[in-house]
Amino acid sequence: MFNIETHDFTSHKFLRLCEAISSNYPTVTIAEYMENKQPDSFILMRHDIDRMPERALVTARIEKELGIRSTYYFRTTKNIFKSKIIYQIKDMGHDIGYHYETLSEANGDSEKALDLFRSNLERLREICEVKTICMHGKPLSKYDNRELWKNYDFRNFGITGEAYLSVRDDLNYFSDTGRTWSYKNSIRDCIPGRTERVFAETTDDLIELIERRKLNNFYILTHPERWPSSAIGWGSYYSTDIAVNFGKKILMKYREKNNNIRTISKNNLSITVDIEDWYHIPSVCGSSFSIYKNVSEFFEKWNDRYDYLSEPTKKTLDLLDEFNITATFFVVADIAEHYPGLIESISAKGHEIACHGADHTCVLDTKTKEPLIGVEEFEKTTLKAKKVLERISGQEVVGYRAPNGAVTGWMLDSLEKIGFKYDSSVSVNSLYNKSDSSLKAVSSFPYYPAPGSLEPACEKRNFVEFPWAYYEMGIKIPAYGGPTLRFLGSRMISKGLKQSLNRGHTIFYFHPIDISQEKFPSIGCRRPFYWIIKGKIVEERLRCVLKRFGNVTKVPLRNQLNNYS
């Protein structure tokens, strides 16, 4: 039996969302925000009336009963522009705005679009005062209606602001476009210039974020037609959304193909390299299930050849030269002792030297989530590793990557305390979680982590997290490189990188030993197939990825850090 109260995107769920809002934050209209009439913490509620204006009355009444004031943007097309409904919503205390689409209607003719804008605005102003406007996305049109204001100024019409173009990029924007609060089904629905985003998949996730009160602001967009009160209405719009989302994905793929990945060229990609040898993997050294407790014990007991790193590192440097890439090298500090001259050769090429731990020992048991070493020991050994790398490379070492990607919030606090400025260890995906955090609000672009946490902070901080890329396909597939390049191939990795770059700056990484053609010693029985794919085939996959993203700006992480200082 269908129970509408248990489903998302219903009037019942909208009521729950509004109850959370009214209990935790004051609300302001878009017009009030444009006039700087908002408190330190607030929620902007916006509703775009694309169709079914009758349903806007339902959301408006719910909000009025809970003391929420919102802005409703009406299109001026025949079935949506209904004066009686606009009057009713205005009389409930809500703000009314114009949902314009004239550049699309004029097929790109700016002068005609401006004339349409003027006449439609006058029609709406015959009913009520209109201070703000908001573009209608119109995904099937090749024209972005916001482009109209490249040639004209909406302020000449007595408009105080545009709901996308006039808001600050520090707003935490959430839109129900595509039946999710993330951005995966959105073509144009985003705040230009905003690269740091907090995500919620479901309305329950969004409610949880609101109730936690850790964000200073929310900018929430809904489309009232998406929130019906009947099972028939829910099923009808659910089917519509599924079909529209499918069409959007085809359209986005088509535009990506024809734009030659122009949609991602505005965001940077950092190529990072982890300098560690075969014995550093957790089945051999430095984990709760390894053969040797740590690298020191390995060298005490290992009598055979150990260096399988120097030759592929030289090949890696040549490869980066070939593609004219300056990379960030995360180096295990004990490399300095056992591989004389290797770190110097990397630094001499102009690459950034960052820290990958003292000896690649895991700090966290990723199964039990219990720490394997204490805070004091971590800080002592990591600071010593930092100084070793700085002495040999002649660089200030400001970046860190956790051995095996096993990272915790307290580690980031310790890193900041001992002089690091960023970490790059967090991997959001549906297959595993090597942290002690849920990572619910984390995506694939840089953010300021909250103190003692891996979740995003509300305020800026002198420490940045650079998380890894993933591919969203219903589930999140890790697409950052490393083992995923070896086991998933370049096609999947490229899709994930392209998608992650559309979200913002992202990370790709690999190990020089991934491209080694030599056979490694066969110890470490917990991972017998770990090196089954490596060598020439991985080198070709690596080249394929670098070629596909040849037009994307690549920067070492220390350079990208300047955007967040």
Side-chain angles (χ1 to χ4, degrees):
M1 187 72 177
F2 184 91
N3 182 0
I4 196 166
E5 292 189 1
T6 64
H7 287 70
D8 205 349
F9 299 104
T10 65
S11 59
H12 174 79
K13 190 70 72 173
F14 183 81
L15 173 60
R16 282 201 55 223
L17 174 63
C18 289
E19 287 172 341
I21 292 169
S22 65
S23 299
N24 291 281
Y25 288 87
T27 55
V28 294
T29 66
I30 303 292
E32 289 169 336
Y33 173 84
M34 299 299 178
E35 296 167 3
N36 291 315
K37 295 179 180 179
Q38 73 273 354
D40 292 336
S41 296
F42 61 92
I43 290 182
L44 280 176
M45 283 293 283
R46 171 182 135 213
H47 306 286
D48 289 358
I49 317 305
D50 291 349
R51 55 189 66 83
M52 302 182 189
E54 294 79 11
R55 287 194 182 162
L57 282 173
V58 177
T59 59
R61 288 181 184 126
I62 290 172
E63 291 174 325
K64 176 178 171 55
E65 290 174 5
L66 291 168
I68 294 172
R69 296 184 64 237
S70 296
T71 303
Y72 284 76
Y73 286 100
F74 280 85
R75 297 168 70 190
T76 54
T77 53
K78 181 178 180 181
N79 294 325
I80 293 135
F81 188 78
K82 296 190 175 181
S83 302
K84 184 177 180 180
I85 291 176
I86 296 172
Y87 272 125
Q88 288 178 278
I89 293 176
K90 172 187 170 293
D91 287 344
M92 292 181 204
H94 300 298
D95 199 20
I96 303 296
Y98 172 30
H99 203 27
Y100 67 97
E101 52 193 307
T102 57
L103 193 61
S104 295
E105 291 174 318
N107 201 29
D109 185 327
S110 295
E111 291 189 10
K112 183 178 178 182
L114 195 69
D115 289 338
L116 282 171
F117 178 89
R118 182 184 292 106
S119 61
N120 290 340
L121 180 62
E122 287 173 357
R123 285 178 62 203
L124 190 55
R125 280 178 166 166
E126 289 174 3
I127 301 172
C128 59
E129 182 181 34
V130 176
K131 291 184 177 180
T132 66
I133 58 175
C134 174
M135 73 95 184
H136 176 50
K138 225 171 176 61
L140 293 180
S141 171
K142 65 180 180 179
Y143 299 104
D144 185 331
N145 287 293
R146 291 170 292 200
E147 298 290 313
L148 180 62
W149 310 118
K150 284 189 173 181
N151 301 318
Y152 305 101
D153 190 341
F154 52 70
R155 289 173 295 187
N156 293 335
F157 297 90
I159 296 298
T160 59
E162 206 277 352
Y164 289 103
L165 300 178
S166 304
V167 298
R168 297 188 298 272
D169 64 5
D170 61 346
L171 290 175
N172 295 292
Y173 184 59
F174 296 88
S175 167
D176 69 353
T177 297
R179 211 174 189 82
T180 176
W181 297 100
S182 67
Y183 291 76
K184 60 186 178 184
N185 296 320
S186 176
I187 293 179
R188 297 190 176 108
D189 187 14
C190 63
I191 298 175
R194 175 66 169 167
T195 58
E196 299 170 60
R197 300 170 184 163
V198 182
F199 283 84
E201 289 291 335
T202 67
T203 304
D204 286 334
D205 292 337
L206 180 57
I207 290 170
E208 182 182 345
L209 280 173
I210 292 169
E211 291 178 339
R212 283 165 55 191
R213 295 176 61 89
K214 288 191 174 181
L215 299 177
N216 281 348
N217 61 64
F218 290 78
Y219 179 6
I220 298 174
L221 162 66
T222 79
H223 299 78
E225 69 267 18
R226 187 166 279 122
W227 303 78
S229 55
S230 69
I232 293 174
W234 187 91
S236 173
Y237 215 83
Y238 175 82
S239 302
T240 299
D241 272 339
I242 295 300
V244 169
N245 289 343
F246 180 74
K248 282 183 178 179
K249 289 185 187 298
I250 294 174
L251 189 59
M252 284 190 278
K253 285 183 179 293
Y254 173 79
R255 287 178 179 172
E256 277 183 10
K257 181 179 178 181
N258 284 275
N259 287 340
N260 191 25
I261 64 173
R262 186 170 57 202
T263 55
I264 61 175
S265 61
K266 63 182 179 182
N267 292 319
N268 295 333
L269 173 66
S270 288
I271 306 298
T272 67
V273 185
D274 286 5
I275 297 295
E276 60 194 62
D277 213 334
W278 64 276
Y279 57 84
H280 284 113
I281 67 171
S283 59
V284 181
C285 287
S287 76
S288 58
F289 59 86
S290 60
I291 293 175
Y292 301 100
K293 180 181 178 181
N294 51 39
V295 170
S296 295
E297 184 178 300
F298 169 80
F299 277 101
E300 287 173 9
K301 298 180 179 181
W302 186 257
N303 297 316
D304 295 330
R305 174 189 171 190
Y306 66 83
D307 181 4
Y308 291 82
L309 175 64
S310 296
E311 186 275 332
T313 299
K314 182 181 182 303
K315 186 181 291 185
T316 294
L317 292 172
D318 292 341
L319 184 66
L320 294 173
D321 280 348
E322 179 185 335
F323 284 90
N324 195 28
I325 294 171
T326 302
T328 297
F329 281 72
F330 289 94
V331 183
V332 179
D334 68 28
I335 295 295
E337 179 181 353
H338 302 291
Y339 303 78
L342 189 64
I343 298 173
E344 293 93 329
S345 68
I346 298 168
S347 183
K349 290 280 190 177
H351 300 291
E352 177 188 6
I353 301 296
C355 182
H356 197 26
D359 61 0
H360 211 260
T361 296
C362 292
V363 177
L364 178 75
D365 187 315
T366 56
K367 287 190 175 180
T368 66
K369 308 302 182 184
E370 293 296 322
L372 296 174
I373 66 173
V375 175
E376 187 176 340
E377 182 184 354
F378 172 73
E379 291 179 359
K380 179 181 177 181
T381 57
T382 306
L383 180 58
K384 182 179 178 181
K386 182 179 190 290
K387 290 180 177 178
V388 166
L389 294 173
E390 288 177 335
R391 175 175 54 81
I392 293 175
S393 68
Q395 301 182 21
E396 180 187 9
V397 172
V398 296
Y400 180 87
R401 175 168 289 161
N404 299 304
V407 65
T408 71
W410 65 260
M411 287 170 63
L412 304 193
D413 292 349
S414 291
L415 291 170
E416 183 178 21
K417 175 182 174 183
I418 62 179
F420 288 91
K421 295 180 181 178
Y422 74 82
D423 173 73
S424 180
S425 307
V426 172
S427 173
V428 177
N429 66 84
S430 302
L431 305 184
Y432 61 82
N433 184 348
K434 290 185 177 183
S435 77
D436 63 350
S437 170
S438 70
L439 305 180
K440 254 188 177 181
V442 180
S443 185
S444 59
F445 46 79
Y447 66 95
Y448 302 105
S453 172
L454 297 177
E455 300 289 338
C458 304
E459 304 293 339
K460 288 187 176 182
R461 179 181 177 181
N462 294 322
F463 192 88
V464 178
E465 177 62 40
F466 291 101
W468 302 350
Y470 64 82
Y471 181 45
E472 169 70 59
M473 47 180 292
I475 62 171
K476 296 181 175 73
I477 303 296
Y480 45 76
T484 63
L485 179 64
R486 293 192 280 118
F487 290 107
L488 299 181
S490 62
R491 183 177 175 83
M492 180 69 77
I493 298 303
S494 295
K495 285 184 176 181
L497 288 174
K498 184 181 292 187
Q499 194 182 80
S500 295
L501 279 164
N502 277 324
R503 302 183 193 110
H505 171 272
T506 198
I507 300 291
F508 173 75
Y509 94 88
F510 65 98
H511 309 85
I513 52 175
D514 294 339
I515 62 175
S516 171
Q517 298 185 44
E518 295 193 79
K519 183 179 180 181
F520 301 152
S522 55
I523 61 172
C525 61
R526 288 289 295 271
R527 295 186 176 181
F529 302 110
Y530 192 74
W531 297 113
I532 195 169
I533 302 174
K534 67 177 189 65
K536 194 68 177 176
I537 186 173
V538 178
E539 183 180 344
E540 289 304 313
R541 290 175 179 178
L542 178 57
R543 287 180 174 277
C544 185
V545 170
L546 297 179
K547 286 177 183 176
R548 282 178 179 168
F549 294 91
N551 293 332
V552 178
T553 302
K554 300 172 190 69
V555 295
L557 287 172
R558 66 186 174 202
N559 292 23
Q560 188 67 19
L561 187 67
N562 294 333
N563 295 331
Y564 302 90
S565 299

